[in-house]
Amino acid sequence: MHTSMKISASLLALACAGIAAPAFADEASAAPAATQGDSSGLTDIIVTATKRETNLQKTPIAISVIGSDLVEKRHVQSLIDLADGGVPSLRVATFEARQSALTIGIRGIVPFDQNQVAREPGVGVYVDGVYLGRSQGLNAALFDVQRIEVLRGPQGTLFGRNTEGGALSIVTKAPTGEFGGRVSAGVGNYGAYDGEFHLNLPAVANFAIKVDGVLDHQGATTANPASGQYGWNFHNRVGGRIAGRWTPVDGLTVDLAYDQAKDENTPFYSQLINYNPKNLPVGTYSGTTLVCPSSPCIAPLAPLVKVSGSNRMSVADLGVIQQPSVDETHGFSAAIKYKLSPDLELRSITAWRGVETHQWDGSAGAHRSAFVPNGQFGRYSLSELLQHQFSQELQVVGSLPNLDFVLGGYYFNEHVREAAATPNPLQWNADGTAYTFVNQVAPNPNGAITSSNQGWDRNYWYVQRDSQAVGKSYGVFGQATWSPVDVLHLTVGGRYTHETRDGALTVINNAPFALGSLNYSNSRFDPMVTLAWDAADGVNLYAKFSTGFRSGGANSRSATFREFLPEEVKSYEIGAKTDFLNHHVRLNLAAYIMDRKNTQIDFDYVETNAASPFFNKHTEETANAPGNSRIKGLEAELTVRPVDGLTFGASYAYTDVNVPLTPNPLAGPLYGQLTQVFTVFTPKNAVSGSVDYELPIKDGMSLRLHADANYSDPTYSFQNEAVLTDSSFIVNGSLALADIPLTSNGTKATLTAWARNLLNEHHIYRRSNANGSVIGDYANFNAPRTFGVKATVNF
């Protein structure tokens, strides 16, 4: 967007809706508790960020809550649907252009590449208290969500490792023990269809069962001209979950759950947005030799390749090989709670989980390498990853006079392995006016497989890298809140963690690699101190110091697999949580400074010289930035309910990140050179707004309107490239006729029309200028407008 458009978008985002999304407090579903006074006021929101149920407004943590109603209103089907910026401090993006692995960041803690066997995230993702160890599989369809809690800032005490930016905690709906449920089905553009099935069965012998099934399908938004091949931004997600709740005696609750999901998807298309941006002389070919009028020069552009500029392509210029990536996840959990007394509860959370990913990324086409007569191209990025994990957490949650406390222990064990290859499935003719598909299998399967004759069939891979790792973590933690007087609360906590990761990079360029071993070990203590003051009725102030860390490890895309250190962050935060006008206005504020030590910076490079033996190979090295990175931020969330049925809100986040100059670790002429580096997908300014209006009609029916608008400044998308993406302005909306009575026993229906990216805005969310001397900048655009209708029956 141009500057004037950015300013207009910002003003519109603020004016459009006053914005109810941000406390993202979906009042109806986030908490059953009623407020005091006028029943038309804002309801209380209950969260579990401190391992006990507390009122959001009295919890001295910066938290945004997305309730189940808001998930429905915004048509959130999976975590990638939160990438529009509805929670300004939360950033969700694809790794590369792939939907099969998500990057999730909070408050400027946004890793570039955490999708490896010996890498870790900076924000922990939890489902019902169970930590998910890999980015792969995070974009599976969401099951029946009660709420999503976005905990902002380090959560190193209660949540542990890899939560230096915060935590994303997904809480699902538990079995009720009473017969009832919900069924929905919908259709949309791009051949979309979706369905959900949620059934609660009556409890038998104090055992209740709940069954969930989900389906979410969307056709490609960028078509592939190649016959029989998938287009880009396609997905087909299915999943099932069965949960049981056993309450054999008073005070004892045993929750059991098993889930399994499959996510088939294709990446976003990588478009060539300019050619020869450095205005180099254009060479000509003599055979396969580039002849330059002067040096350096650039190869000519193949006639079939189109430069898209700022336009999002609906049909690709070249048909290429593309099949869906497949992510399969499964898991079992057992959560036990036993009340020894009204003031003391014992808890156990045991879980086994696994993910299997088969990646097929053909998004590059001819847009990331130079044309060479009769040369191969297309860079089909293939990967297979297998992971399984076990975790066990024990908690003691209790209260004494003027004192609430939590004590616990945690164990985590993970095994993960990945292999990758990058065959070139396309080949030009002599002048770039035509091309053919090649290399499904190696041309000479009985001979040696090389980088130039490898196939994309798994049996004929030229394995670019093969790595594996085993990670273990042990932790003990405690936290206590002392209230010497009713209005003053002092919270002190700490967590000791010991972690290890043993790994190996066993293959590089299809040959055994004997030097790539990792024996990482780290022990640390993370303290937390918070002072909270109930300054007046509805006014709660706090000051907080906390720490957290992101584990160290090794980069399996490198040529060394050398160890890098863990990141460490110290955070200083002040905040205010306020309710005004008899719970009709709610304003929450937070300001923070974070000092981060050993910031992990990824320097990446893809060889684009077709004559090189490493052509199309991705090399990456990770370095720890010297000194401290400084992150500063302000956050504000406003929710206003002026009259019954009408809610406005506004949310804003300012994030400023400064990382010291970092020596380039890549071998070559730039080795050791101090380089300006950047934090990816982190806008300096982000604002979100929404309006919700419910109009009662008759017989309990109502008309429900929701609209939200979300603006973000441009961001960097590579840590070592000084090129910005576009700003973004996304508007979503829905209109529902709710609670239509169908039967006399309470069965009701809701009809909903919804739209995401209602204005069909287009922006570049990921851009690279690394190939500017070879061909030009490539970029990925956001998804176009999608819309549909949905029918839901509650019984």
Side-chain angles (χ1 to χ4, degrees):
M1 287 188 177
H2 299 295
T3 302
S4 60
M5 293 179 66
K6 287 164 54 180
I7 295 173
S8 299
S10 299
L11 293 174
L12 180 58
L14 286 169
C16 164
I19 320 171
F24 249 146
D26 171 12
E27 315 296 342
S29 63
T35 57
Q36 302 171 357
D38 189 346
S39 62
S40 65
L42 297 166
T43 59
D44 291 339
I45 301 172
I46 303 302
V47 295
T48 54
T50 59
K51 306 297 184 182
R52 63 176 73 236
E53 291 189 349
T54 58
N55 185 331
L56 172 68
Q57 292 304 104
K58 296 182 179 180
T59 305
I61 300 174
I63 309 173
S64 297
V65 179
I66 307 170
S68 58
D69 272 5
L70 196 55
V71 169
E72 290 292 324
K73 292 171 183 177
R74 300 184 72 245
H75 198 67
V76 175
Q77 303 287 83
S78 65
L79 289 181
I80 201 171
D81 291 329
L82 301 180
D84 57 17
V87 180
S89 291
L90 173 68
R91 312 315 301 179
V92 179
T94 62
F95 173 68
E96 288 284 327
R98 302 162 194 154
Q99 299 186 61
S100 55
L102 296 183
T103 297
I104 296 177
I106 297 174
R107 284 188 173 179
I109 306 290
V110 190
F112 171 71
D113 181 2
Q114 63 189 39
N115 307 287
Q116 302 175 29
V117 301
R119 303 293 303 273
E120 302 289 351
V123 171
V125 179
Y126 296 78
V127 176
D128 293 330
V130 176
Y131 173 69
L132 305 184
R134 294 292 103 197
S135 297
Q136 288 85 351
L138 286 185
N139 204 29
L142 294 171
F143 292 111
D144 202 9
V145 172
Q146 176 68 36
R147 65 182 178 276
I148 301 173
E149 298 180 10
V150 183
L151 283 62
R152 309 193 300 270
Q155 305 297 320
T157 301
L158 292 183
F159 287 84
R161 57 197 285 270
N162 304 324
T163 58
E164 59 170 349
L168 187 71
S169 178
I170 302 170
V171 181
T172 63
K173 294 180 180 178
T176 64
E178 299 179 356
F179 180 76
R182 185 174 83 254
V183 179
S184 67
V187 295
N189 61 336
Y190 295 106
Y193 53 87
D194 62 82
E196 295 183 42
F197 174 77
H198 309 285
L199 176 64
N200 274 291
L201 298 175
V204 176
N206 296 318
F207 193 85
I209 292 177
K210 182 173 184 285
V211 181
D212 301 301
V214 294
L215 165 66
D216 175 26
H217 175 94
Q218 178 192 277
T221 61
T222 300
N224 188 345
S227 177
Q229 299 300 312
Y230 282 78
W232 292 275
N233 190 27
F234 154 90
H235 69 253
N236 187 75
R237 304 182 183 113
V238 296
R241 183 175 187 266
I242 182 167
R245 170 166 286 185
W246 184 39
T247 52
V249 296
D250 289 343
L252 178 60
T253 302
V254 180
D255 284 315
L256 307 173
Y258 176 79
D259 64 85
Q260 189 166 331
K262 183 177 183 180
D263 176 17
E264 299 173 284
N265 61 78
T266 58
F268 288 84
Y269 191 52
S270 294
Q271 302 179 198
L272 185 66
I273 61 173
N274 58 41
Y275 168 67
N276 193 14
K278 297 184 178 181
N279 295 314
L280 299 174
V282 179
T284 58
Y285 276 103
S286 174
T288 59
T289 301
L290 182 64
V291 179
C292 293
S294 62
S295 184
C297 75
I298 194 170
L301 193 66
L304 292 181
V305 176
K306 304 301 180 185
V307 177
S308 67
S310 60
N311 298 313
R312 179 175 52 215
M313 284 183 167
S314 58
V315 180
D317 48 351
L318 297 178
V320 305
I321 300 297
Q322 180 65 73
Q323 63 192 85
S325 297
V326 180
D327 305 324
E328 295 180 295
T329 60
H330 62 273
F332 171 79
S333 64
I336 303 172
K337 296 181 180 181
Y338 180 53
K339 273 192 170 294
L340 289 174
S341 72
D343 296 321
L344 186 63
E345 184 173 80
L346 305 181
R347 299 177 183 174
S348 170
I349 303 175
T350 307
W352 293 263
R353 295 203 61 83
V355 58
E356 179 176 338
T357 296
H358 297 271
Q359 171 191 300
W360 306 82
D361 180 358
S363 63
H367 299 160
R368 293 174 63 174
S369 58
F371 164 70
V372 177
N374 301 309
Q376 295 180 2
F377 69 99
R379 194 175 190 272
Y380 207 8
S381 181
L382 313 178
S383 167
E384 58 180 20
L385 178 140
L386 303 173
Q387 183 258 14
H388 61 269
Q389 65 176 65
F390 169 78
S391 61
Q392 174 64 60
E393 182 165 359
L394 300 175
Q395 301 172 10
V396 180
V397 181
S399 297
L400 296 170
N402 301 323
L403 184 72
D404 292 331
F405 65 89
V406 177
L407 301 172
Y410 182 74
Y411 172 72
F412 178 81
N413 184 307
E414 176 190 40
H415 294 247
V416 56
R417 180 170 185 171
E418 183 193 23
T422 51
N424 295 301
L426 309 170
Q427 185 169 11
W428 290 113
N429 67 355
D431 58 6
T433 58
Y435 60 95
T436 57
F437 292 170
V438 296
N439 294 348
Q440 180 169 2
V441 299
N444 180 15
N446 296 319
I449 297 175
T450 69
S451 61
S452 60
N453 76 355
Q454 63 177 309
W456 72 79
D457 182 283
R458 180 62 181 92
N459 294 320
Y460 302 100
W461 278 18
Y462 178 87
V463 178
Q464 181 182 344
R465 55 186 169 85
D466 193 330
S467 55
Q468 57 191 5
V470 177
K472 297 180 181 180
S473 175
Y474 312 82
V476 291
F477 60 89
Q479 181 170 300
T481 300
W482 177 48
S483 303
V485 294
D486 289 344
V487 299
L488 195 63
H489 316 282
L490 176 64
T491 301
V492 178
R495 186 185 192 105
Y496 172 80
T497 301
H498 176 71
E499 58 173 352
T500 62
R501 186 171 292 275
D502 297 323
L505 179 61
T506 57
V507 174
I508 293 182
N509 293 331
N510 214 45
F513 184 61
L515 302 179
S517 62
L518 172 69
N519 301 107
Y520 166 79
S521 179
N522 177 44
S523 298
R524 60 175 285 117
F525 179 74
D526 286 294
M528 186 277 293
V529 179
T530 302
L531 181 63
W533 176 37
D534 303 333
D537 186 27
V539 179
N540 300 281
L541 310 177
Y542 68 90
K544 180 180 181 180
F545 168 77
S546 60
T547 67
F549 77 102
R550 176 188 177 200
S551 300
N555 194 317
S556 57
R557 303 187 206 278
S558 74
T560 62
F561 207 59
R562 63 182 174 218
E563 180 180 324
F564 52 80
L565 299 173
E567 290 181 350
E568 304 172 7
V569 67
K570 295 180 179 179
S571 175
Y572 310 86
E573 179 178 340
I574 57 174
K577 296 194 171 185
T578 62
D579 268 321
F580 300 107
L581 302 179
N582 199 23
H583 300 284
H584 285 262
V585 178
R586 178 173 293 160
L587 175 63
N588 293 342
L589 303 169
Y592 62 89
I593 294 175
M594 294 196 292
D595 289 321
R596 183 170 54 168
K597 179 182 177 183
N598 295 325
T599 302
Q600 295 169 16
I601 299 296
D602 297 322
F603 289 76
D604 76 307
Y605 174 72
V606 176
E607 177 59 76
T608 54
N609 181 1
S612 168
F614 299 103
F615 175 53
N616 266 343
K617 301 300 183 289
H618 182 186
T619 300
E620 189 176 278
E621 292 283 358
T622 301
N624 292 108
N628 285 336
S629 302
R630 172 61 62 92
I631 305 174
K632 299 179 291 186
L634 296 170
E635 297 163 340
E637 294 187 339
L638 172 68
T639 309
V640 180
R641 187 165 182 150
V643 296
D644 192 17
L646 179 63
T647 307
F648 299 97
S651 185
Y652 169 75
Y654 168 82
T655 311
D656 180 71
V657 183
N658 185 8
V659 183
L661 296 176
T662 303
N664 190 325
L666 289 170
L670 299 181
Y671 176 78
Q673 179 175 310
L674 290 177
T675 305
Q676 179 65 61
V677 293
F678 309 95
T679 296
V680 297
F681 303 118
T682 301
K684 181 157 285 191
N685 297 281
V687 63
S688 175
S690 69
V691 59
D692 286 278
Y693 179 61
E694 182 169 357
L695 176 66
I697 302 177
K698 64 176 183 177
D699 299 328
M701 293 189 297
S702 63
L703 193 65
R704 298 174 182 171
L705 169 69
H706 169 83
D708 61 81
N710 313 284
Y711 168 81
S712 294
D713 278 348
T715 69
Y716 297 98
S717 49
F718 290 82
Q719 287 186 317
N720 63 325
E721 294 186 29
V723 58
L724 288 166
T725 66
D726 296 336
S727 59
S728 63
F729 181 65
I730 302 298
V731 177
N732 308 305
S734 64
L735 179 64
L737 179 60
D739 297 331
I740 305 168
L742 297 181
T743 66
S744 58
N745 63 0
T747 301
K748 298 179 179 181
T750 296
L751 302 177
T752 305
W754 60 270
R756 293 186 60 82
N757 191 9
L758 180 64
L759 304 182
N760 202 27
E761 181 261 19
H762 66 274
H763 66 269
I764 292 171
Y765 80 88
R766 180 175 174 271
R767 175 176 179 170
S768 174
N769 64 359
N771 301 335
S773 300
V774 177
I775 181 169
D777 293 8
Y778 73 88
N780 303 106
F781 285 77
N782 67 310
R785 174 173 52 225
T786 54
F787 56 85
V789 294
K790 184 176 183 178
T792 303
V793 176
N794 291 274
F795 55 91

